[in-house]
């Protein structure tokens, strides 16, 4: 069990190096880790897992109902969503099958619903249903007036994206994968049957390579001599409303898709907030994760048209993520057998949903390329913290508090996070590298006050732990 | 699933006060001293006292005393306990299990507490950068005054080197002090208003002696930098955009009531304050539930909050010992017209004491305003003020007009002019 953040990299070559510890890279590492014989390295430029697009998305576990039928994306979404739903149930990743409603606001959109239902059928989703306005408003009484009907997609779910990536990475590490953080890859060369990865922290050798670098997948592919695609970041800004708005919406409210994209959605989150977004802005800068006045104003105008009462509620957080668009409709997953590598590119906005499907697919491609996997085994069991609104928070569990009173010592009042949960996260196999990382693991500071009450206490715990003190 | 959990202990008290800040402690002290029975005060923080416990500046306490916030907090807690109230810190209220029953938790585990009367004294918080919809990156180094003061005074942590303060309410000057204590250099104060909201002497001392310029008519339009703040972009009154290089920004003031418990209990909120709607006896629309302090009017000084706590205690005692009864929920409401923001109290109920003073807030500076009170087009009262009404600070309105209110009439409106 090894996680390194500084210092030199091991000399001995790995069987496989996975570049990128986002939701896709960690899923691939976890899948490979089932094969006991393999020595696996997961290499990440940032100082935590899931620091890129994986931490800033719409947190939806899609069914793939509106994917292009027959595409690789459609297939891997269908496979991945089943796998992740099962995995989430096993490990306690917060997930809720709330279902989605595609709301038609004009005749043209209403007329498009049957075709969307047919497309869903071609993607294997035969359980969609058309709702009358009456049925729609019974389901969603706070919806703005004027909707003409909706298509219900029952399987669409909401999920905790941070727990998902963290679970994959933790399980991979517990099974023996070496996770090297703060380890940006700056060059790759072939040497004596190995890939030599020049990294910020030294050289790492591996026989096989998986490029799951997300926004940087084209750059890493370039290091391997491939120029198949260019990643164009497409920014999505999102607004998170307070949990007191949580009763306003029950389903994921999707617009009827147009040529311009999937549009702006309103959805509950597994923590009880309401999410409004995303924007879709094509940019050049792969670091442009800032929100903008125009973007927020546009979202609020859209939100007012969907769920007017939402705009009276307090905003808890605003964030933006970058989708790794490539100008192609489908995923760009390609094996390079001669080079013993697989590129996983163009996972635009469905990576969370498809992650486990992609992982299985990539593992298969590696085997086809000549990697001897050996027998798979069960991974060490894992239980993620109960962060969701449907779980019983530790501070409410009498037996747990009786056994360890620190579970009753609430530090973050808005999200009811106890000192013990913070302590556990700081002592976990994959501890946070920042207060923000601690927040994603525990919810401490993620509530309406954004740390006004607990920020100093949480920062103090983090800093002392980071300095080596046991807290 | 936030309902009861196996192993929950139950207990009964006479009065349950939620929040051990100035208002809650003053109410508890008075209630216990006057024989209200078992008075229990809960606070979710480890130390009692509320906001003053992290305010190092002097000026707390009764007139003539110049206690620091922590001194005041300790004395207020001692007074409540000395009078016979039970004070429990580190105790979190989770929600309602009945009209006067609350679920709590703490290191001793979950508990269910039923009271004859509940007093909500949950206070107020400064709105976060996100709540203010300030765009940009999400860097480290972005604070509110409350977080800054806790970091500096309670944890002795460094906060940065070069800081900008957003806001010019009195609390912004407390942030200035905390930054200096932490060794950070305050570069500027920024406000969208035309001048400071603090008393003149305080504002001038900061500007002239402290050398901290106040940039008026300026909006923060973007936060820059990652992972740490590197600057903020400002739009000045003349439309120009400038960048101030800094590694810390403190968002001050812009208080909002901590109203979650009230809302979860279905207690009617006032549309203006977003806190529980109350009459002059601090009665909410929910029988047996009172509210007091800055949850009613985000935010007032500790002195105002404590004064209200003592007044509310009288009202709670009357409820406990007097004839059963609670004013109808459909009381006459007090509403405000722009540029006024809200009034407290904001309900008028028969049998309530005549409010000596209504507290109002204004959106903008009003020079020598005349306040006008009307109901159904009828003028009830006019009042000329000889002081400027300042945003973020109390504007008093005398309650002499209450006997002229038609209890069956429409809402009472308070306006200017």
């Amino acid at each position: 069990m090894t996680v390194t953040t500084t210092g030199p990299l091991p000399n001995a070559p790995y069987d496989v190096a996975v570049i990128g510890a986002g939701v896709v890279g960690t899923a691939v590492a976890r899948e490979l880790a089932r094969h006991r014989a393999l020595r696996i390295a997961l290499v990440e430029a940032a100082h935590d897992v899931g620091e890129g697009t994986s931490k800033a998305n719409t947190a939806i576990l899609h069914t793939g109902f509106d994917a292009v039928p027959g595409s690789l994306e459609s297939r891997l979404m269908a496979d991945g969503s089943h796998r992740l739903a099962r995995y989430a149930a096993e490990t306690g990743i917060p997930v809720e099958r709330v279902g989605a409603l595609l709301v038609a606001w004009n005749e043209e959109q209403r007329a498009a619903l049957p075709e969307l239902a047919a497309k869903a059928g071609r993607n294997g989703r035969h359980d969609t249903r058309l709702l009358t306005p009456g049925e729609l408003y019974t389901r969603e009484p706070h919806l703005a007036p004027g909707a003409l009907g909706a298509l219900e997609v029952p399987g669409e779910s909401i999920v905790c994206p941070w727990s998902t990536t963290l679970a994959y990475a933790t399980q991979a590490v517990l099974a023996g994968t070496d996770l090297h953080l703060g380890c940006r890859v700056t060059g790759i060369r072939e040497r004596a049957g190995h890939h030599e990865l020049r990294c910020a922290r030294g050289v790492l050798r591996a026989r096989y390579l998986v490029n799951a670098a997300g926004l940087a997948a084209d750059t890493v592919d370039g290091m391997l001599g491939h120029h198949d695609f260019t990643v164009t970041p497409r920014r999505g800004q999102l607004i998170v409303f307070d949990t007191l708005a949580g009763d306003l919406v029950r389903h994921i409210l999707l617009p009827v898709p147009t040529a311009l994209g999937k549009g702006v959605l309103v959805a509950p989150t597994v923590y009880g907030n309401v999410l409004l977004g995303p924007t879709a802005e094509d940019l050049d800068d792969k670091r442009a994760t800032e929100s903008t006045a125009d973007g927020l104003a546009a979202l609020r105008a859209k939100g007012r048209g969907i769920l007017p009462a939402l705009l009276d509620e307090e905003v808890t957080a605003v964030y933006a993520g970058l989708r790794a668009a490539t100008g192609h409709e489908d995923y760009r997953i390609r094996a390079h057998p001669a080079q013993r590598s697989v590129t996983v590119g163009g996972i635009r906005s469905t990576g969370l949903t498809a992650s486990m499907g992609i992982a299985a697919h990539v593992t298969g491609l590696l085997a086809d390329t000549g990697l001897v996997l050996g027998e798979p085994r069960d991974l060490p069991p894992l239980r993620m913290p109960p962060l969701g609104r449907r779980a019983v928070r530790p501070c409410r569990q009498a037996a747990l508090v009786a056994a360890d009173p620190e579970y009753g010592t609430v530090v973050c009042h808005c999200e009811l996070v106890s000192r013990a949960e913070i302590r556990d996260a700081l002592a976990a196999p994959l501890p946070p590298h920042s207060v923000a990382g601690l927040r994603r693991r525990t919810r401490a500071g993620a509530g309406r006050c954004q740390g006004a009450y607990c920020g100093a206490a949480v920062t103090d715990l983090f800093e002392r732990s980071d300095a080596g003190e046991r807290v | 699933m936030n309902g009861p959990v196996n192993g929950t202990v139950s207990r009964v008290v006479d009065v349950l006060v939620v929040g051990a800040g100035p208002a809650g402690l003053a109410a508890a002290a008075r209630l216990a001293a006057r024989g209200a029975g078992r008075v229990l005060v809960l606070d979710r923080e480890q130390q009692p006292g509320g906001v003053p416990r992290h305010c190092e500046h002097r000026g707390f306490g009764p007139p003539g005393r110049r206690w620091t916030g922590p001194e005041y907090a300790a004395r207020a807690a001692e007074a409540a306990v000395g009078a016979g109230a039970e004070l429990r810190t580190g105790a979190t209220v989770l929600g309602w299990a009945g009209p006067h029953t609350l679920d709590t938790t703490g290191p001793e585990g979950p508990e269910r507490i039923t009271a004859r009367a509940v007093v909500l004294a949950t206070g107020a918080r400064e709105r976060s950068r996100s709540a203010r919809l300030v765009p940009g990156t999400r860097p480290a180094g972005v604070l509110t005054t409350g977080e800054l003061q806790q970091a500096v005074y309670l944890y002795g942590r460094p906060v940065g080197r070069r800081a900008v303060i957003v806001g010019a309410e009195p609390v912004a000057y407390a942030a200035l002090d905390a930054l200096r204590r932490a060794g950070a250099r305050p570069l500027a104060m920024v406000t969208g208003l035309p001048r400071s909201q603090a008393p003149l002497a305080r504002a001038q001392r900061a500007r002239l002696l402290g050398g901290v310029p106040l940039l008026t008519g300026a909006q923060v339009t973007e936060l820059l930098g990652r992972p740490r703040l590197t600057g903020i972009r400002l739009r000045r009154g003349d439309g120009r955009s400038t960048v101030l290089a800094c590694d810390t920004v403190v968002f001050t003031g812009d208080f909002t009531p901590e109203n979650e418990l009230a809302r979860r209990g279905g207690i009617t909120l006032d549309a203006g304050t977003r806190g529980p709607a109350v009459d002059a006896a601090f009665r909410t629309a929910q029988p047996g539930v009172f509210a007091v302090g800055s949850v009613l009017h985000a935010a007032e000084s500790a002195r105002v909050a404590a004064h209200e706590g003592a007044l509310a205690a009288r009202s709670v005692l009357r409820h406990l010992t007097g004839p059963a009864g609670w004013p109808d929920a459909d009381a006459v409401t007090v509403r405000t017209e722009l540029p006024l923001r809200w009034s407290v109290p904001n309900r008028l109920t028969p049998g309530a004491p005549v409010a000596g003073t209504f507290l109002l807030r204004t959106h903008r500076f009003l020079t020598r305003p005349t306040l006008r009170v009307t109901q159904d087009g009828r003028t009830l009262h006019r009042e000329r003020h000889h002081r400027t009404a300042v945003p973020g600070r109390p504007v008093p309105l005398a309650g002499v007009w209450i006997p002229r209110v038609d209890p069956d009439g429409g809402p009472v409106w308070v306006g200017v002019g």
Side-chain angles (χ1 to χ4, degrees), chain A residues 47-219:
Chain A
H47 285 86
D48 200 351
V49 298
E51 274 281 2
T53 308
S54 303
K55 75 173 179 187
N57 49 63
T58 52
I60 292 174
L61 179 49
H62 294 285
T63 57
F65 76 96
D66 63 345
V68 177
S71 64
L72 182 63
E73 183 178 25
S74 168
R75 183 159 69 78
L76 296 185
M77 282 177 81
D79 183 36
S81 66
H82 283 125
R83 286 173 184 258
L84 180 49
R86 198 167 56 233
Y87 183 64
E90 272 168 33
T91 54
I93 294 168
V95 63
E96 276 184 61
R97 199 170 184 271
V98 293
L101 302 175
L102 278 89
V103 181
W105 295 99
N106 58 39
E107 271 306 330
E108 189 189 342
Q109 291 175 359
R110 183 162 68 175
L113 296 181
E115 170 48 32
L116 282 162
K119 187 180 183 185
R122 291 197 294 280
N123 280 313
R125 313 303 307 192
H126 303 287
D127 53 354
T128 60
R129 201 167 76 81
L130 291 168
L131 300 187
T132 65
E135 292 171 310
L136 172 59
Y137 282 97
T138 305
R139 299 280 194 91
E140 294 291 354
H142 299 282
L143 194 67
L148 304 180
L151 179 70
E152 183 193 9
V153 188
E156 295 277 297
S157 304
I158 53 177
V159 65
C160 174
W162 308 315
S163 296
T164 305
T165 306
L166 187 63
Y168 293 160
T170 303
Q171 221 172 12
V173 166
L174 290 176
T177 296
D178 287 354
L179 170 60
H180 300 299
L181 298 165
C183 200
R184 182 181 299 280
V185 176
T186 54
I188 301 170
R189 65 174 180 176
E190 175 80 26
R191 191 152 184 180
H194 288 101
H195 298 284
E196 249 185 35
L197 277 58
R198 200 164 60 242
C199 303
R201 291 172 43 203
V203 172
L204 186 139
R205 288 175 193 82
R207 288 196 299 128
Y208 287 79
L209 209 57
V210 177
N211 171 7
L215 289 163
D218 54 350
T219 310

Side-chain angles (χ1 to χ4, degrees), chain A residues 3 8-9 30 68 111 126 162 164 191 237 295 305 312 319 333 350 357 375 391 407 424 455 457 463:
Chain A
V3 180
L9 297 166
R30 177 192 165 279
V68 177
H126 303 287
W162 308 315
T164 305
R191 191 152 184 180
Q237 303 184 42
D312 295 334
Y319 64 90
I333 301 179
T350 52
E375 277 305 297
Y407 283 104
D424 294 349
E463 297 278 348

Side-chain angles (χ1 to χ4, degrees), chain A residues 242-268:
Chain A
D242 187 52
T243 50
L244 287 164
D247 292 337
L248 292 176
V249 61
R250 297 171 190 166
H251 306 79
I252 303 162
L253 301 180
L254 300 171
V256 175
T258 65
L260 295 174
K262 287 183 180 171
V264 172
L265 61 85
V266 174

